[in-house]
Amino acid sequence: MPRPRQALLSRQRIVETAAALIDADGLAAFSTRRLASELGVRGPSLYNHFATKDEILDAVADSVTGRVDVSYFGSVDWREALRRWGHSYRAALAAHPHIVPHLATGPGRRPAALTMADAVYGGLVDAGWPPARATHIGALMRYFVAGSALGSFARGFVDDPGLYAEQYPHLTQAHRLAEHQQRVDEGAFTLGLDALIEGLSRTYERTVGPLPPLPPATNAY
């Protein structure tokens, strides 16, 4: 039998298939056996490309992080850079919420995650933030963004007016939240991000120095 012209497996194909399985079934259901079956190969074939299951998960997480735009740091004011990065970061994670728990463990050795951390930290330090505070800001943004991407606040309420009517008098409209999920969740994230940046701006002026006025918002998000 002639050998195939192209290799049956590649790192990219493994990562893309693993990502699709995790998106569909969740992180807990993911296994190398299930992945190999989906790819139509035997399990040991995967280990020609990845030594462990965790390496595959790292690659999937890094493929998601690689979609985050960090180009704003160094090109616009740090406050606007933080805002644009935050929205890009959330969009990437919200599109693949099941990988977020693994991704949120930290960058480890993942190249895209380390590139993002380097860009954010470097941009903040260059803007005048002390290194320790730049580290804190990177950490708090990860907590905020990852938490917002793990699930929908609005979809956590069931579409049953009767559940709330008698026992929860302040939640009589809660059954409508899921209907307006995108507006509720994105509005909450934007409000929180704006408040976070406003608080950081005050801290900067108190500890570092005055800030120039920001140009009018571009409404990019």
Side-chain angles (χ1 to χ4, degrees), residues 52-189:
T52 65
K53 174 184 171 181
D54 277 347
E55 281 193 11
I56 297 173
L57 294 177
D58 277 346
V60 172
D62 217 38
S63 71
V64 173
T65 304
R67 298 173 187 142
V68 181
D69 191 346
V70 293
S71 65
Y72 309 113
F73 291 95
S75 62
V76 299
D77 183 277
W78 68 266
R79 293 163 290 177
E80 185 62 22
L82 210 59
R83 178 176 287 106
R84 296 184 191 183
W85 169 58
H87 280 285
S88 177
Y89 193 6
R90 179 181 181 271
L93 269 59
H96 305 278
H98 290 150
I99 196 63
V100 172
H102 186 84
L103 186 150
T105 59
R109 296 178 180 272
R110 301 196 293 269
L114 289 169
T115 295
M116 182 172 76
D118 183 71
V120 174
Y121 177 81
L124 292 171
V125 170
D126 288 346
W129 281 102
R133 282 299 187 211
T135 299
H136 294 160
I137 294 169
L140 73 86
M141 284 292 292
R142 192 185 79 184
Y143 303 150
F144 177 59
V145 174
S148 75
L150 278 173
S152 165
F153 173 83
R155 290 193 183 280
F157 294 85
V158 300
D159 182 17
D160 179 7
L163 175 66
Y164 308 103
E166 295 183 3
Q167 297 186 53
Y168 311 102
H170 301 296
L171 299 179
T172 55
Q173 298 301 307
H175 65 284
R176 301 181 59 196
L177 287 172
E179 178 185 348
H180 303 284
Q181 178 259 326
Q182 183 174 3
R183 186 167 61 183
V184 171
D185 291 344
E186 291 184 1
F189 179 80

